[in-house]
C-alpha cells in the first residue's frame, strides 16, 4: 500500500507542475519553490526504485520506514497547492532524513525490533529520584488541575540522567497501576524506529483486535492513526509511555492529538522521554532532569555496588577518594552508559562514555555545533552568562546567537541555571562535566583548540587557532612560535602567571580577536595589549586591575570591553577613541575627566556609568541611536536628576534602565522620571539604593513589564503604587520594604520574587482566584512563618521556591497549602 501511495503522489505532483503554468496560481510561485517540488519528486522516485530493487533481509523493517515515507509524500501533495514554500522545504528535509535512515539499514546497521533502546531502567535504585517520582505521579500525571489535564508530559535531560528510570518508576507505581488498570502501554524507540512501528505496537498493547494482527503491518500511517485514536476515545483512562523520542520522528501533531482526543471526563496520560524539547513548552509539561549532587551520587554508587558484593567495608580511604573523584567527573549522571565501575577505578577514563555521547553532538544542526564548540573556552562547571556567550560567538563570526543558548538547552547540551521569564531566554547556564570533556575533544578536532596546562599535561597543536591556558604558580613559559595563528586566547588560574611576560609576547599575536582574562587575578596590564589592533573582545572582569593603559585607545575594532568588578580602576579618557565599541561594562571606575561616551554611536550596552563621570547633554545623547541597556551608578541626594532624565529621553532605543545609588547614601527624588512616562519601549527598570518614597504610578515609564526594587528600604508600602502599573508582569522586591505586611492585588502579575524583607510577617493576595501568578519565590524573610491561604485558589501557580529557616520550612511542608502546586522547592 505504501508503494502505491508514493507512486500516486509522484503522479499527482508531476501533473500539478505540468498544469501549473496555465493557472492563475502560477504567478504566486517562486522559482525556488518549484525547484523544491521537483526535488520532492526526485526523492520519491529514488526511494520508489530503492524499494522495488531491495531484496535485503531487513525489508520487513524497511517497510515500516516506507510507511513513514509515504505519509510525508501525502503531506507534500497537500502542501503543493497552499503556496507554502516553508512547508515544502520541511517535507523535503523530512524525506531526506528518512532516506538516510533507510540507507543505513542497507549498509547493514540493524537494530532488533525487540531491543529496548534507550537508558536501561534500574527498578530498585532510585536514589535522588524520590522527590521527582512523587511530583510526577501525584502532582502531574494524576493531577486534576485543568491546565494539566490532557497535556503531554516530557521527561527531558541529557543521556545518562535517569529519564527512563524515572519513567519506569512512574509507569509501575501502584497509584498509576490502580488508576489506569490494564490500559497501559510502553514503547521504547531507537534512531531507526519508524512511526509506523510505534502505531502498530500501541494498537497491539491497547486494542483488542478481532482479526489477524498481522494485517496492521500492511496499513498506512494515516489509517493506523485513525484506528488508534478512535479506540482511545472509547477506552477507559489510559497511560502511554514513549521512551527516547527523537525530533525527526515527526510525532508532534500525532502526539498532541493523542493527548487531546480522549474523553474529557477521563484522566489519560501521555509520558515522553527525550534528550530534546520535542514540543514548544506552552504545549507540554516538561520535567527537567538535573544532575545529582555528590552525596546522592555516592549513595547511588554504593547501592549499585551492593548488588555485586556483600562486603560491608569495600573501600579504603584512598579508594573512596578516587571513586568520589570519578563520580565528580561523571557530573552527577545516574548511569555511566554501560561502563563497569571497575573499569574506571584506576584511570578514571571516560573515553567510552564520550564515544557514546557523540550522537548527541552529531544530531545538532551545523550552526549549533559551532556555538557548542566555542563553549570549550570556559572552565569545567563554570556558570556561563548568556551575554558573554553571545559576545564570544559574535566575535567568532557566529552572529545569530540570540536564541542559541535556548536551542542548546532544548537539546540537553547545557543546563539552564537561571532562566529569563521571556520565551527562549537563558540568563545563566552550565555544562555537565562529561559533556564539557566532549566539547573540548570536538573543539580540538574541528576548530583548532589547544589546551596548555602548567602541570605538563598539555595538548599542543602544530597550528592552533584557539588557546586555553590553565595556569598554576609556575612562571610563564613562552616557548612556541605559533602565536601568530591564534584567534582566541583565554586564561584560567592565577594572574601572577603573566607578571614576567615580555612586551614582545603580545606583539606576536597578530590575528588575535578574543582575549579573555576574567577571574584571573590580574593587577597590571601590559601597554603592548594596545598593539592588538584586530582585537574584538577584551574580558577583564573581576580582577585587581588598577589602571587601564592609554594604549588601549588604539583598539579601534574592539566591540566588547568588560572591566566590571575591578574595584576603583582608573579609566583615562580613551573610550571616545574606540569607535567600534558595542558593549561596555564597567563599575566603580575612577575618571579624572568625564568620559565622552556619546561619541560611541554604535554602543548598545553601557553599564555602569557614574553620573559624575559622564557628560550627558541631551543634544549629544540623541546620537546614540543604538543604546538599548543603560546602567547609571553613584546617584545620591546631590545628583541633578532633573537634567539626567530629560537627556535619557533622547535615547529612543532604550528599553532597559538601571539606577544605582552610591553606597548607603539616599538616592535623590525620582519624581523627575515622569519625563519618561510616555515611553512604551522601556520595559525593564531596576532601582538599587535607598529612596525616601516611590514616584507616583503615572511617573513611571508606561510600558514597564519588569520592575526590581533592591535595597530601597522603603518605609511606606509600595504596593498601592505598583498595583497601578498596567503592564507589570514581573516584580522583584529585595530589601525593598521595612514594613510587616504586603497585600498584592495584581491580576496580570506572572512572577513575584520577595527576598530579604527582614520585618515581613504577612503576605496576602486579593482576588487570588483570578490571579495570573505562575511563579512565587520567597527568600530570606525570617519572620514570614506561613504562606498566604490564597495560594490554594491560584489556578495558574505552578512553581514555589522558598529559602527560610528549618523550623518554618518544616511547618510549611507539613501544611496542606502546597497540594496543588506542581513544582515546590522549600529549603532551610
Amino acid at each position: 500500500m505504501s508503494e502505491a501511495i508514493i507512486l500516486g503522489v509522484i503522479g499527482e505532483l508531476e501533473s500539478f507542475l505540468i498544469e501549473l503554468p496555465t493557472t492563475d496560481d502560477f504567478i504566486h510561485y517562486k522559482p525556488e519553490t518549484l525547484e523544491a517540488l521537483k526535488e520532492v519528486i526526485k526523492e520519491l522516485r529514488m526511494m520508489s526504485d530503492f524499494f522495488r530493487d531491495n531484496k535485503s533481509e531487513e525489508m520487513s523493517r524497511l517497510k515500516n520506514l516506507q510507511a513513514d515515507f509515504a505519509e510525508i509524500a501525502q503531506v507534500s501533495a497537500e502542501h503543493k497547492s497552499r503556496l507554502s514554500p516553508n512547508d515544502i522545504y520541511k517535507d523535503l528535509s523530512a524525506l531526506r532524513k528518512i532516506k538516510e535512515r533507510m540507507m543505513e539499514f542497507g549498509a547493514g546497521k540493524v537494530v532488533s525490533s525487540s531491543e529496548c533502546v534507550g537508558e536501561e531502567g534500574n527498578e530498585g535504585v532510585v536514589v535522588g529520584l524520590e522527590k521527582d517520582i512523587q511530583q510526577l505521579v501525584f502532582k502531574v500525571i494524576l493531577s486534576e488541575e485543568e491546565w494539566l489535564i490532557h497535556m503531554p508530559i516530557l521527561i527531558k535531560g541529557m543521556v545518562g540522567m535517569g529519564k527512563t528510570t524515572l519513567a519506569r518508576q512512574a509507569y509501575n507505581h501502584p497509584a498509576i497501576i490502580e488508576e489506569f488498570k490494564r490500559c497501559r502501554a510502553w514503547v521504547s524507540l531507537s534512531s531507526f524506529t519508524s512511526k509506523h512501528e510505534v502505531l502498530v505496537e500501541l494498537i497491539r498493547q491497547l486494542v483488542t483486535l478481532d482479526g489477524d494482527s498481522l494485517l496492521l503491518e500492511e496499513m498506512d500511517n494515516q489509517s493506523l492513526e485513525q484506528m488508534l485514536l478512535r479506540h482511545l476515545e472509547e477506552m477507559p483512562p489510559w497511560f502511554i509511555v514513549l521512551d527516547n523520542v527523537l525530533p525527526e520522528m515527526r510525532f508532534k501533531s500525532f502526539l498532541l492529538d493523542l493527548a487531546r482526543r480522549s474523553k474529557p471526563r477521563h484522566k489519560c496520560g501521555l509520558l515522553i522521554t527525550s534528550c530534546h524539547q520535542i514540543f514548544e513548552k506552552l504545549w507540554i509539561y516538561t520535567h527537567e532532569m538535573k544532575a545529582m549532587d555528590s552525596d546522592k551520587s555516592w549513595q547511588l554508587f554504593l547501592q549499585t555496588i551492593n548488588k555485586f558484593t556483600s562486603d560491608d567495608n569495600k573501600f579504603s580511604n584512598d579508594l573512596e577518594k578516587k571513586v568520589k573523584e570519578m563520580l565528580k567527573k561523571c557530573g552527577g549522571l545516574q548511569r555511566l552508559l554501560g561502563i563497569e565501575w571497575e573499569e574506571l577505578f584506576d584511570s578514571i577514563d571516560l573515553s567510552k562514555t564520550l564515544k557514546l555521547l557523540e550522537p548527541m553532538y552529531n544530531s545538532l544542526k551545523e550552526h549549533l555545533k559551532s556555538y557548542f564548540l566555542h563553549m570549550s573556552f570556559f572552565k569545567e562547571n563554570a556558570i556561563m552568562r548568556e551575554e558573554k556567550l553571545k559576545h564570544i560567538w559574535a566575535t567568532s563570526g557566529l552572529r545569530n546567537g540570540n536564541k542559541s543558548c535556548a536551542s542548546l538547552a532544548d537539546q540537553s547540551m547545557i543546563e539552564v541555571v537561571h532562566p529569563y521569564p521571556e520565551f527562549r531566554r537563558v540568563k545563566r547556564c552550565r555544562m555537565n562535566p562529561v559533556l564539557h570533556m566532549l566539547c573540548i575533544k570536538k573543539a580540538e578536532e574541528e576548530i583548532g583548540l589547544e589546551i596548555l596546562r602548567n602541570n605538563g599535561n598539555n595538548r599542543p597543536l602544530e597550528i592552533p587557532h584557539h588557546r586555553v591556558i590553565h595556569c598554576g604558580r609556575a612562571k610563564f613559559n613562552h616557548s612556541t612560535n605559533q602565536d601568530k595563528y591564534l584567534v582566541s586566547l583565554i586564561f584560567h588560574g592565577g594572574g601572577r602567571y603573566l607578571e614576567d611576560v615580555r612586551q614582545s609576547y603580545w606583539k606576536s599575536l597578530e590575528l588575535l580577536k578574543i582575549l579573555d582574562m576574567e577571574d584571573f587575578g590580574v593587577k597590571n596590564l601590559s601597554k603592548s595589549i594596545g598593539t592588538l589592533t584586530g582585537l574584538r573582545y577584551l574580558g577583564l572582569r573581576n580582577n585587581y586591575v588598577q589602571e587601564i593603559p592609554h594604549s588601549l585607545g588604539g583598539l579601534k575594532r574592539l566591540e566588547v570591553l568588560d572591566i566590571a568588578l575591578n574595584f576603583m580602576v582608573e579609566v583615562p579618557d580613551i573610550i571616545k577613541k574606540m569607535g567600534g565599541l558595542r558593549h561596555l561594562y564597567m563599575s566603580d571606575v575612577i575618571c579624572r575627566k568625564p568620559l565622552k561616551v556619546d561619541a560611541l554611536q554604535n554602543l548598545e550596552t553601557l553599564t555602569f556609568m557614574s553620573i559624575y563621570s559622564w557628560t550627558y547633554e541631551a543634544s549629544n545623547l540623541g546620537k546614540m541611536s543604538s543604546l538599548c541597556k543603560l546602567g547609571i551608578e553613584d546617584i545620591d541626594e546631590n545628583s541633578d536628576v532633573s537634567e539626567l532624565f530629560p537627556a535619557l529621553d533622547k535615547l529612543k532605543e532604550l528599553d532597559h534602565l538601571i539606577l544605582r545609588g552610591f553606597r548607603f547614601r539616599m538616592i535623590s527624588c525620582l519624581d523627575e522620571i515622569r519625563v519618561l512616562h510616555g515611553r512604551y519601549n522601556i520595559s525593564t527598570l531596576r532601582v538599587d539604593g535607598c529612596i525616601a518614597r516611590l514616584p507616583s504610578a503615572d511617573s513611571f515609564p508606561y510600558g514597564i513589564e519588569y520592575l526590581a526594587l533592591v535595597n530601597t528600604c522603603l518605609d511606606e508600602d509600595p504596593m498601592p503604587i505598583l498595583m497601578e502599573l498596567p503592564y507589570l508582569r514581573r516584580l522583584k522586591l529585595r530589601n525593598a520594604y521595612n514594613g510587616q505586611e504586603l497585600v498584592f492585588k495584581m491580576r496580570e502579575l506572572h512572577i513575584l520574587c520577595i527576598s530579604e524583607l527582614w520585618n515581613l510577617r504577612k503576605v496576602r493576595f486579593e482576588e487570588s482566584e483570578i490571579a495570573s501568578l505562575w511563579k512565587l519565590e520567597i527568600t530570606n524573610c525570617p519572620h514570614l512563618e506561613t504562606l498566604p491561604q490564597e495560594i490554594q485558589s491560584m489556578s495558574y501557580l505552578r512553581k514555589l521556591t522558598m529559602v527560610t529557616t528549618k523550623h518554618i520550612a518544616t511547618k510549611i511542608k507539613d501544611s496542606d497549602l502546597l497540594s496543588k502546586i506542581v513544582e515546590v522547592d522549600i529549603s532551610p
Side-chain angles (χ1 to χ4, degrees):
M1 180 178 289
S2 296
E3 187 172 358
I5 291 173
I6 293 172
L7 291 173
V9 171
I10 291 173
E12 183 178 343
L13 292 179
E14 287 181 335
S15 298
F16 176 79
L17 289 177
I18 293 172
E19 297 170 1
L20 185 62
T22 63
T23 66
D24 294 336
D25 291 333
F26 181 68
I27 59 173
H28 299 294
Y29 269 86
K30 295 180 180 179
E32 54 267 31
T33 306
L34 297 177
E35 288 301 315
L37 270 177
K38 292 177 183 178
E39 286 295 314
V40 168
I41 295 173
K42 181 180 177 181
E43 294 293 337
L44 293 175
R45 281 205 171 280
M46 188 183 304
M47 293 315 298
S48 178
D49 294 340
F50 173 80
F51 288 122
R52 185 179 61 251
D53 299 337
N54 193 289
K55 306 297 183 183
S56 73
E57 297 178 358
E58 284 299 321
M59 198 57 205
S60 61
R61 290 294 310 283
L62 282 171
K63 282 186 176 179
N64 290 309
L65 286 171
Q66 184 185 25
D68 287 9
F69 205 85
E71 180 187 9
I72 301 171
Q74 288 175 305
V75 172
S76 299
E78 295 172 1
H79 285 162
K80 72 179 187 307
S81 57
R82 296 180 185 174
L83 304 176
S84 175
N86 289 336
D87 288 337
I88 295 172
Y89 291 136
K90 287 179 182 178
D91 297 338
L92 182 60
S93 175
L95 290 171
R96 286 172 173 169
K97 285 181 179 179
I98 293 181
K99 182 180 73 173
E100 289 175 8
R101 292 161 70 191
M102 290 177 175
M103 295 300 104
E104 288 175 352
F105 269 111
K109 296 184 180 179
V110 178
V111 176
S112 169
S113 60
S114 62
E115 183 177 351
C116 179
V117 181
E119 301 162 294
E120 295 176 4
N122 193 333
E123 299 289 353
V125 181
V126 292
V127 172
L129 295 180
E130 299 85 353
K131 183 178 177 181
D132 298 75
I133 294 168
Q134 289 294 109
Q135 175 183 316
L136 194 61
V137 171
F138 295 105
K139 292 193 173 184
V140 181
I141 299 173
L142 298 179
S143 172
E144 296 298 330
E145 292 298 309
E146 185 176 347
W147 68 275
L148 272 174
I149 291 178
H150 300 166
M151 180 178 282
I153 302 160
L154 170 66
I155 301 177
K156 177 182 163 293
M158 67 171 281
V159 173
M161 279 293 182
K163 301 183 296 296
T164 301
T165 300
L166 177 57
R168 280 204 173 108
Q169 291 294 324
Y171 186 76
N172 293 323
H173 195 282
I176 296 295
I177 294 174
E178 174 63 25
E179 176 71 18
F180 299 105
K181 307 299 181 186
R182 296 182 180 179
C183 294
R184 294 185 302 142
W186 177 292
V187 182
S188 292
L189 294 78
S190 78
S191 58
F192 296 109
T193 306
S194 67
K195 181 178 176 181
H196 188 268
E197 288 175 284
V198 174
L199 291 168
V200 169
E201 186 60 29
L202 286 174
I203 291 173
R204 283 175 174 165
Q205 291 189 42
L206 292 170
V207 179
T208 302
L209 298 172
D210 296 331
D212 187 355
S213 64
L214 292 177
L215 295 176
L216 295 173
E217 303 283 355
E218 302 302 321
M219 296 174 64
D220 65 277
N221 284 7
Q222 290 185 5
S223 299
L224 288 171
E225 274 190 39
Q226 292 170 6
M227 178 181 180
L228 178 61
L229 292 172
R230 185 174 66 253
H231 278 85
L232 290 181
E233 286 178 345
E234 299 169 356
M235 287 172 59
W238 48 263
F239 184 57
I240 294 173
V241 176
L242 298 180
D243 184 30
N244 193 33
V245 175
L246 300 175
E248 59 265 26
M249 292 177 176
R250 295 175 62 92
F251 280 0
K252 287 185 181 180
S253 59
F254 161 63
L255 293 176
L256 286 172
D257 281 344
L258 199 62
R260 295 168 180 170
R261 289 281 290 273
S262 59
K263 291 183 179 181
R265 67 176 183 274
H266 286 170
K267 173 59 185 173
C268 300
L270 175 60
L271 179 62
I272 302 162
T273 76
S274 181
C275 294
H276 311 274
Q277 187 67 44
I278 300 296
F279 298 92
E280 300 292 353
K281 291 187 177 181
L282 295 176
W283 299 349
I284 193 167
Y285 175 80
T286 303
H287 183 94
E288 294 274 359
M289 298 293 294
K290 303 294 184 182
M292 291 187 296
D293 59 32
S294 56
D295 290 339
K296 288 179 179 176
S297 294
W298 177 244
Q299 292 174 33
L300 177 60
F301 176 79
L302 291 179
Q303 288 199 24
T304 305
I305 291 297
N306 284 339
K307 299 177 69 176
F308 303 104
T309 177
S310 59
D311 296 337
D312 293 327
N313 300 314
K314 303 177 183 64
F315 306 109
S316 64
N317 290 337
D318 288 342
L319 188 54
E320 180 177 328
K321 182 178 180 181
K322 181 174 282 192
V323 173
K324 287 184 176 180
E325 181 184 351
M326 175 193 70
L327 294 174
K328 182 180 179 181
K329 282 182 175 289
C330 294
L333 298 186
Q334 293 228 346
R335 295 178 56 254
L336 289 182
L337 306 166
I339 298 174
E340 297 295 334
W341 298 108
E342 291 81 356
E343 295 179 31
L344 301 174
F345 282 167
D346 294 327
S347 63
I348 313 182
D349 180 10
L350 294 180
S351 59
K352 292 184 179 179
T353 300
L354 296 185
K355 192 70 176 175
L356 290 166
L357 285 175
E358 285 192 9
M360 290 186 66
Y361 171 75
N362 294 334
S363 68
L364 291 175
K365 294 180 180 179
E366 288 303 314
H367 73 283
L368 282 182
K369 288 181 180 178
S370 297
Y371 292 113
F372 177 72
L373 294 177
H374 283 81
M375 298 173 87
S376 61
F377 296 173
F378 292 78
K379 293 188 291 187
E380 181 182 301
N381 281 319
I383 302 296
M384 296 172 279
R385 304 188 309 277
E386 183 195 48
E387 61 182 5
K388 180 175 180 178
L389 278 168
K390 288 195 297 185
H391 298 332
I392 293 290
W393 289 334
T395 306
S396 302
L398 307 173
R399 287 286 179 180
N400 298 316
N402 286 338
K403 304 299 182 184
S404 296
C405 269
S407 296
L408 288 168
D410 286 348
Q411 308 300 313
S412 299
M413 302 301 289
I414 59 174
E415 176 187 341
V416 178
V417 177
H418 188 169
Y420 277 112
E422 294 90 351
F423 182 60
R424 297 188 63 76
R425 287 292 309 279
V426 176
K427 188 172 185 179
R428 291 183 178 86
C429 61
R430 66 181 163 210
M431 189 182 296
N432 185 280
V434 183
L435 272 176
H436 186 258
M437 285 186 273
L438 177 66
C439 183
I440 290 175
K441 177 177 178 290
K442 289 297 181 181
E444 289 173 336
E445 296 171 356
E446 299 185 24
I447 63 172
L449 174 68
E450 178 182 75
I451 305 287
L452 300 181
R453 293 181 173 85
N454 265 155
N455 60 12
N457 185 19
N458 295 328
R459 304 176 189 176
L461 297 180
E462 184 176 348
I463 303 180
H465 295 290
H466 310 278
R467 178 180 291 162
V468 175
I469 301 179
H470 294 267
C471 311
R473 296 183 179 181
K475 290 186 177 181
F476 180 79
N477 181 19
H478 176 227
S479 58
T480 75
N481 61 353
Q482 304 299 331
D483 299 335
K484 63 181 179 179
Y485 298 109
L486 286 178
V487 177
S488 309
L489 180 59
I490 297 93
F491 290 92
H492 300 310
R496 293 183 61 185
Y497 183 79
L498 288 176
E499 286 183 358
D500 62 341
V501 174
R502 296 178 180 177
Q503 303 287 337
S504 59
Y505 170 69
W506 300 107
K507 294 180 181 179
S508 67
L509 302 168
E510 300 173 7
L511 302 178
L512 200 67
K513 292 183 179 181
I514 297 173
L515 176 58
D516 187 22
M517 292 186 276
E518 183 171 338
D519 301 325
F520 191 54
V522 176
K523 291 184 179 179
N524 300 305
L525 290 178
S526 171
K527 296 179 181 179
S528 296
I529 293 179
T531 64
L532 303 173
T533 54
L535 206 62
R536 303 287 202 280
Y537 179 97
L538 179 55
L540 299 167
R541 179 181 290 244
N542 197 28
N543 282 290
Y544 304 102
V545 178
Q546 299 174 350
E547 183 179 359
I548 301 299
H550 282 77
S551 62
L552 265 60
L555 303 178
K556 306 296 185 183
R557 299 182 181 179
L558 196 66
E559 295 180 1
V560 182
L561 176 59
D562 190 347
I563 58 174
L565 304 181
N566 285 274
F567 183 67
M568 305 302 287
V569 57
E570 184 171 343
V571 180
D573 187 22
I574 58 171
I575 300 296
K576 62 186 178 183
K577 300 179 182 179
M578 300 178 178
L581 270 181
R582 294 180 179 273
H583 307 278
L584 175 57
Y585 302 95
M586 304 186 293
S587 58
D588 291 322
V589 300
I590 300 173
C591 303
R592 299 187 184 277
K593 294 182 179 179
L595 300 181
K596 298 180 180 179
V597 295
D598 54 282
L600 307 176
Q601 298 183 19
N602 296 318
L603 204 62
E604 299 172 19
T605 306
L606 174 58
T607 61
F608 282 90
M609 173 62 70
S610 172
I611 194 172
Y612 296 110
S613 301
W614 181 24
T615 57
Y616 48 83
E617 288 86 356
S619 58
N620 293 333
L621 289 188
K623 302 174 184 177
M624 302 180 72
S625 56
S626 301
L627 193 64
C628 300
K629 182 177 180 179
L630 173 64
I632 304 172
E633 63 182 3
D634 296 340
I635 303 174
D636 58 20
E637 61 271 18
N638 298 318
S639 303
D640 190 358
V641 293
S642 62
E643 290 187 14
L644 173 67
F645 292 123
L648 298 185
D649 192 38
K650 300 297 182 180
L651 301 171
K652 298 305 180 183
E653 294 300 315
L654 186 66
D655 65 10
H656 190 150
L657 177 61
I658 308 171
L659 305 173
R660 180 188 287 176
F662 182 78
R663 294 184 174 85
F664 300 105
R665 295 183 186 177
M666 187 72 70
I667 292 179
S668 54
C669 181
L670 296 181
D671 287 344
E672 299 297 331
I673 202 173
R674 70 170 63 94
V675 299
L676 302 177
H677 177 67
R679 294 287 296 275
Y680 287 80
N681 60 322
I682 299 180
S683 61
T684 299
L685 175 63
R686 179 185 176 102
V687 179
D688 186 345
C690 296
I691 54 177
R693 59 179 177 80
L694 288 178
S696 61
D698 57 7
S699 294
F700 283 95
Y702 189 77
I704 284 183
E705 297 178 9
Y706 173 42
L707 175 64
L709 300 179
V710 179
N711 298 320
T712 51
C713 302
L714 292 164
D715 292 319
E716 185 178 335
D717 185 354
M719 296 316 303
I721 293 175
L722 301 185
M723 285 189 293
E724 295 182 29
L725 301 179
Y727 297 106
L728 190 64
R729 300 294 180 266
R730 299 165 52 203
L731 176 61
K732 179 177 183 177
L733 302 174
R734 192 181 82 191
N735 192 25
Y737 174 51
N738 297 325
Q740 299 184 9
E741 182 177 1
L742 282 173
V743 180
F744 295 91
K745 187 179 179 182
M746 308 173 78
R747 298 181 182 181
E748 301 303 323
L749 191 67
H750 295 165
I751 299 173
L752 174 61
C753 301
I754 302 171
S755 64
E756 299 175 24
L757 301 187
W758 308 109
N759 299 321
L760 187 66
R761 283 167 168 77
K762 188 175 183 180
V763 174
R764 289 193 297 113
F765 290 94
E766 294 185 359
E767 299 183 347
S768 56
E769 64 281 354
I770 57 174
S772 300
L773 193 71
W774 60 267
K775 179 180 178 181
L776 175 60
E777 183 178 306
I778 302 174
T779 306
N780 296 333
C781 298
H783 295 293
L784 186 63
E785 297 193 1
T786 186
L787 294 173
Q789 292 287 332
E790 297 90 355
I791 66 172
Q792 292 180 303
S793 59
M794 292 182 176
S795 57
Y796 294 99
L797 186 58
R798 304 181 185 185
K799 187 170 184 177
L800 169 67
T801 303
M802 191 171 186
V803 179
T804 184
T805 65
K806 185 175 181 179
H807 166 72
I808 296 175
T810 302
K811 180 180 177 182
I812 292 176
K813 286 179 182 179
D814 292 340
S815 70
D816 60 354
L817 292 172
L818 311 177
S819 59
K820 294 184 178 181
I821 305 176
V822 175
E823 299 177 40
V824 177
D825 185 6
I826 301 179
S827 58

